[in-house]
Amino acid sequence: MSEQEIIQVEAAPTFKGNLRNLAKKYRSIRSDVQPVIEQLQQGELPGDQISGTNYIVFKLRIRNSDIKKGKSGGYRLIYYVKIATTIILLTIYTKSEQVDIAASEINSIIAEYEQTTVENEEDI
């Protein structure tokens, strides 16, 4: 029986900043997001693919357990499938604070992440 490879899930600086800001208002955000990260690590790709970007990007609804509105009033998590074994969490926001995210904004978050990765590799 072969062991399934765990997918590496990383967080872009934009995601980390947004998560930190939302955590001030929503105490349970990390526990709400954790099951999604585990799904991604198992190789599942939940959510709907976003068209209009040059990348494989998905938008996923996550229930906010701090408010009682279900998934539709919860968080939106955007992630990018970089390669088959690496997924990058790009951003997270609440539906109440941001209606949608433009493909151009997603592309710029990915470009920023890629630039940060290159700079970090140069430091080694």
Side-chain angles (χ1 to χ4, degrees), residues 78-97:
I78 310 294
Y79 67 92
Y80 154 47
V81 181
K82 183 173 180 180
I83 56 174
T85 57
T86 305
I87 292 174
I88 313 302
L89 304 175
L90 296 177
T91 187
I92 187 168
Y93 58 92
T94 61
K95 183 70 173 171
S96 62
E97 293 173 10

Side-chain angles (χ1 to χ4, degrees), residues 3-113:
E3 186 98 6
Q4 184 179 354
E5 189 173 339
I6 295 286
I7 307 297
Q8 185 176 343
V9 178
E10 301 175 9
T14 305
F15 179 87
K16 291 176 184 176
N18 292 350
L19 185 70
R20 194 170 26 256
N21 290 337
L22 288 170
K24 294 173 186 171
K25 189 173 180 181
Y26 305 108
R27 292 189 144 152
S28 302
I29 188 169
R30 287 182 172 84
S31 59
D32 290 343
V33 170
Q34 189 57 40
V36 173
I37 292 172
E38 291 167 8
Q39 269 188 298
L40 294 171
Q41 288 172 332
Q42 300 296 319
E44 295 176 41
L45 297 176
D48 300 318
Q49 190 164 356
I50 298 175
S51 58
T53 68
N54 303 327
Y55 307 96
I56 302 170
V57 178
F58 290 85
K59 176 166 89 173
L60 175 65
R61 291 177 173 180
I62 302 174
R63 188 176 154 278
N64 180 344
S65 61
D66 290 313
I67 59 171
K68 304 300 178 212
K69 289 188 178 179
K71 286 184 178 181
S72 63
Y75 308 110
R76 301 296 183 270
L77 186 145
I78 310 294
Y79 67 92
Y80 154 47
V81 181
K82 183 173 180 180
I83 56 174
T85 57
T86 305
I87 292 174
I88 313 302
L89 304 175
L90 296 177
T91 187
I92 187 168
Y93 58 92
T94 61
K95 183 70 173 171
S96 62
E97 293 173 10
Q98 183 175 337
V99 177
D100 237 335
I101 186 165
S104 59
E105 190 175 342
I106 292 169
N107 286 334
S108 67
I109 292 170
I110 292 172
E112 177 190 347
Y113 169 79

